[in-house]
C-alpha cells in the first residue's frame, strides 16, 4: 500500500527571533498552562499540502528549486501583536509582520511560484487556537506591546510527516535558499541579522 505524507512549507526566522517568540510563549504558559503551539519553533507558514503521494516530493517539490533560488532574500519586521478569531470561540495571538509595498510584492511572487491562490497573511504564531477564557487573560498583556524587530528571510524550508502515522512528527525534508540579487527593498544599508535590543529583552517579562 502506498503511504501518504503531509508537507509544510514555511519561512524560518533567525535564532534571535525564534528565541524571542519562545520567551513570549513561555510567559503565556505561566498564565494559561500548556497550549497547542507552545513548543513549536517560531515560523511563518506558507502552505500545508496534506495527504500527498510520494511522487509529490520527488517531482513537484524538486522542480521548485530553480524558481525559488532566483528569488532574493527579504527583510521583514515584526510590528506588535494581533489576533485571529476562529470558530467555537477560539483565538490565535500572533506577532504581526509589517506589510510594505516591497514585502507585498515579494510574497506575491512567492505565491505565484508556489501556485498558491488563497490569501496569505504572513505572521508568527504565539498561542494557537486557545479558548476565549485564556485569550481574555492574555490579550491585555499583548495588545499594547510596541515590539518592532527586523529580520531577514533567506530560505524556504519544507518539512514532512506521515499522514497516517501513529505519532506523526514533522521532519526536515528540503531547504531552498533565496539567492537572487534583485532587491525589493533597500533599508539604510541594513544587510545583516539584527539581534534583540535591551528594550525588547525588557518587554519579555511582559506579565
Amino acid at each position: 500500500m502506498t503511504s501518504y505524507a503531509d508537507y509544510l512549507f514555511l519561512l524560518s526566522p533567525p535564532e534571535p527571533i525564534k528565541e524571542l517568540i519562545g520567551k513570549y510563549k513561555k510567559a503565556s504558559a505561566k498564565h494559561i498552562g500548556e497550549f497547542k503551539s507552545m513548543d513549536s519553533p517560531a515560523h511563518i507558514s506558507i502552505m500545508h499540502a496534506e495527504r500527498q503521494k510520494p511522487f509529490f516530493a520527488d517531482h513537484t517539490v524538486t522542480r521548485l528549486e530553480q524558481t525559488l533560488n532566483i528569488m532574493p532574500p527579504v527583510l521583514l519586521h515584526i510590528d506588535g501583536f494581533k489576533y485571529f478569531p476562529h470558530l467555537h470561540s477560539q483565538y490565535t495571538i500572533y506577532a504581526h509582520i509589517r506589510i510594505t509595498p516591497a514585502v507585498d510584492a515579494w510574497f506575491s511572487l512567492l505565491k505565484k511560484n508556489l501556485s498558491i491562490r488563497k490569501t496569505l497573511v504572513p505572521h508568527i504564531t504565539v498561542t494557537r487556537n486557545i479558548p476565549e477564557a485564556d485569550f481574555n487573560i492574555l490579550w491585555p498583556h499583548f495588545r499594547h506591546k510596541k515590539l518592532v524587530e527586523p529580520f531577514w528571510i533567506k530560505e524556504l524550508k519544507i518539512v514532512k510527516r506521515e499522514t497516517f502515522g501513529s505519532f506523526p512528527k514533522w521532519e526536515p525534508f528540503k531547504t531552498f535558499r533565496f539567492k537572487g540579487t534583485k532587491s525589493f527593498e533597500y533599508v539604510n544599508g541594513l544587510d545583516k541579522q539584527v539581534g534583540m535590543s535591551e528594550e525588547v529583552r525588557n518587554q519579555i517579562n511582559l506579565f
Side-chain angles (χ1 to χ4, degrees):
M1 179 179 179
T2 303
S3 61
Y4 291 87
D6 301 335
Y7 297 84
L8 179 62
F9 293 62
L10 57 88
L11 303 176
S12 182
E15 287 303 316
I17 298 298
K18 290 181 180 178
E19 292 173 6
L20 173 64
I21 298 300
K23 290 179 185 295
Y24 277 101
K25 288 173 180 278
K26 289 179 181 177
S28 298
K30 289 179 181 179
H31 288 265
I32 65 172
E34 295 184 0
F35 52 91
K36 290 181 180 179
S37 60
M38 186 174 67
D39 297 320
S40 176
H43 65 275
I44 300 173
S45 295
I46 300 300
M47 180 171 68
H48 190 187
E50 298 179 288
R51 195 178 177 182
Q52 301 294 326
K53 292 184 178 181
F55 74 82
F56 176 87
D58 295 340
H59 300 287
T60 307
V61 172
T62 301
R63 286 202 305 266
L64 293 172
E65 184 168 10
Q66 185 175 1
T67 302
L68 294 176
N69 280 166
I70 62 176
M71 288 187 63
V74 63
L75 178 65
L76 303 180
H77 288 76
I78 291 176
D79 191 359
F81 295 94
K82 294 188 176 183
Y83 67 88
F84 295 123
H86 304 291
L87 294 175
H88 311 298
S89 299
Q90 303 279 312
Y91 293 83
T92 290
I93 297 174
Y94 63 91
H96 170 64
I97 302 299
R98 183 187 303 166
I99 300 299
T100 65
V103 170
D104 185 58
W106 190 91
F107 275 101
S108 293
L109 178 59
L110 181 64
K111 287 177 58 179
K112 179 181 178 182
N113 289 339
L114 295 177
S115 300
I116 298 174
R117 294 187 175 88
K118 67 178 183 179
T119 301
L120 175 63
V121 180
H123 66 280
I124 302 177
T125 296
V126 180
T127 62
R128 179 167 59 91
N129 289 355
I130 59 174
E132 185 173 15
D134 291 342
F135 172 78
N136 289 337
I137 292 171
L138 292 180
W139 183 241
H141 299 289
F142 281 97
R143 64 186 304 170
H144 297 305
K145 289 297 173 187
K146 305 298 182 183
L147 176 65
V148 177
E149 282 292 301
F151 61 97
W152 285 96
I153 288 293
K154 299 183 177 182
E155 59 189 22
L156 180 138
K157 294 185 177 182
I158 304 174
V159 295
K160 71 173 184 177
R161 67 182 180 186
E162 290 185 31
T163 300
F164 302 113
S166 300
F167 300 99
K169 181 181 179 181
W170 291 110
E171 301 288 350
F173 177 63
K174 294 279 188 180
T175 297
F176 299 135
R177 297 277 294 177
F178 299 125
K179 301 177 181 179
T181 57
K182 180 181 178 182
S183 178
F184 283 82
E185 188 168 29
Y186 298 91
V187 186
N188 298 326
L190 181 59
D191 60 357
K192 60 183 179 179
Q193 302 294 356
V194 181
M196 269 187 282
S197 66
E198 187 63 30
E199 180 182 356
V200 171
R201 288 190 179 92
N202 291 336
Q203 283 196 57
I204 295 170
N205 298 316
L206 67 165
F207 305 155

